[in-house]
Each structure stands twice: as structure tokens, then as C-alpha cells.
Amino acid sequence: MSGLGWAEFGDPAGRPVVFVHGYASSRWAAGWTLSGERLVREGIRVLAPDRPGYGGTPPMPPERWTAQVAARAEEVGPVVVAGVSMGASAALRLAATRPDLVTGVALLSGMAPVPAERWSPAAKADAFYWRLARRAPWLLRRLCAVSARAMASADASVIPRIERALPAADLEVFRARAGTAQAAFLSDANESGRQGGDAMAGDLLRHLRPWDVVVEEVKTPVCLIHGVDDHKVPVSLARSLAARLPRVEATYLPGGHFAPFADQEALMAVLGGARF
């Protein structure tokens, strides 16, 4: 589809899944968080678009992005949509806009609407970014620009630094996924920063405002999977989101932000539509 960056993974003739990446990420996130071998084995075809301002997708209004993704999805038939972290709102928007096209939504460590009161995730770096979003957006944009430049030029030497910064709840899963698909992980990092840091800053600032989708009006079945020790998106936010969704099956797993990707067999069952 013209105007969007896309990547595909898995079985070209399989059941289609639209994979919506999260913050500081890109279409290549699906290439390392999901097992390509299992996608093929389970007959799943993943279509992964870049969100606006990331990778190969230019900045654009959310409605335009949603319409273009829906147009691509129409070419392959009804789809399951997976929203990862800050891709959750985009996944739910697609479901709310096109309930005829989206048969199910998987929210994987999905970011929920931020409560009005001040809160902070456990991750210190993330908490700092959220404080800047509230108090000094101009400084947030500068910091995100610096981060984007670093990510755009990242190579394999960045992986040990990431591992040292990760909490124990995420380290094993990260090593298993990024370790087996290092090229995809590095492509994800590089593409996430290709256009600069505006999309990263925009993600944080947008989540401080009310969402452009009414959660209570999402009638599509939702499978929410979240780690109870998530240091980026507190499980309390996930529970608050689950309480507002009309048709939701919530699963809370041991582990952190990468917990939904620990058991690839169970995840494939969700993406393949078995739980919708």
C-alpha cells in the first residue's frame, strides 16, 4: 500500500494477522518478537505496517493510517490485529473502525490510557521520559531526537548494553528472542530512528490526552496478555483497560514487558484466532 512501510513474515498463504508495533519500534519488531518458524508451521501470515513517523511511514493523522491499513487488510480477508505496547490504541482503533474486517484483537503488553493522576512506571528511564512529557515537552523532543540518532546507527554492540539495563523479569525472554533473530532486532532499532524522534515524543504526548477511540465501543473480542511485573506498562493499567472492554479475555502472566512473547506456542494460538 502506497504511503506505508510494510514487512511480511510467516506463511504467505496463511491466516492474516496485522501486527502493530509499539514505542521506538518498527515493522521489524514482528521479525524478532515472533518465531518465524512457528508462524510458518502454524500457517500464519503477519503483515506489519510502520506506524506514522516510524520506519517507512511518513507522519500522518491516525485516521489516514487506519484507513490505509484497513485497505491493505481487505486484500487478504478478515484479520486478527495484534497491538504491542503503545500499538494498542492503534489496534483498537482499527477494530472499532472496521468491526467487519477485524475478527479479534490481541493486546500484548498493551499501553492503556494514562490516568489523570501522576504515575510512574517502575523503569527509571521510562519514568523520566513521562515526566518530561508532562513538564517539558520541548526537552522531551530533543532527548527523543538524540535517542533516535543512536538507534538509527545501532549495531550488535548495543545488545549487551540493553541486557544490562533490563530487569530480570525480561532478560531471559529478550535473550531468547533477540538472540535467535539478531538481524531483525537490529533492523527494528535502525528503522525506529530513521525519521528522527518526533514519533517517539508524539507517542508519549498523545497518551497523556484522551484516546481518539472509545474503548467501551470496541465490540470485537479482545485477548489481553500482560506480565504482572511489567516495568514499562504497569499491570494496574492493563487491568483498568480490561475492565472497560466489553468483550475481553485477560491473561496475566509471570514476567515483565516481554512476557507475552515467552511462550510462542500459546501466542501462535492467539494470533491464529483460536481464542476468538
Side-chain angles (χ1 to χ4, degrees), residues 3-7 21-29 48-60 65 148 151-152 186-200 203:
L4 298 185
W6 283 92
H21 67 83
Y23 172 84
S25 190
S26 77
R27 64 194 182 278
W28 281 101
D50 287 318
R51 291 196 292 113
Y54 287 110
T57 298
M60 64 177 67
W65 181 89
M151 295 176 74
L186 294 175
S187 292
D188 185 26
N190 297 157
E191 284 293 285
S192 70
R194 175 148 68 105
Q195 296 187 55
D198 286 351
M200 298 179 197
D203 272 347

Side-chain angles (χ1 to χ4, degrees), residues 59 212 219 227 251:
D212 59 356
K219 306 304 182 184
T251 301

Side-chain angles (χ1 to χ4, degrees), residues 167-228:
D170 278 326
L171 184 56
E172 183 177 349
V173 181
F174 177 80
R175 283 176 171 166
R177 300 305 329 136
T180 57
Q182 186 178 108
F185 173 76
L186 294 175
S187 292
D188 185 26
N190 297 157
E191 284 293 285
S192 70
R194 175 148 68 105
Q195 296 187 55
D198 286 351
M200 298 179 197
D203 272 347
L204 292 168
L205 295 170
R206 191 162 43 251
H207 276 78
L208 292 179
R209 302 189 296 268
W211 280 10
D212 59 356
V213 57
V214 180
V215 173
E216 290 80 1
E217 295 180 0
V218 178
K219 306 304 182 184
T220 304
V222 176
C223 183
L224 183 152
I225 306 175
H226 211 96
V228 295

Side-chain angles (χ1 to χ4, degrees), residues 7 39 81-82 86 91 110 120 124 145 160 172 198 225 248 250:
L39 289 173
V81 179
M86 281 195 175
S120 290
K124 292 182 180 179
E172 183 177 349
D198 286 351
I225 306 175
V248 63

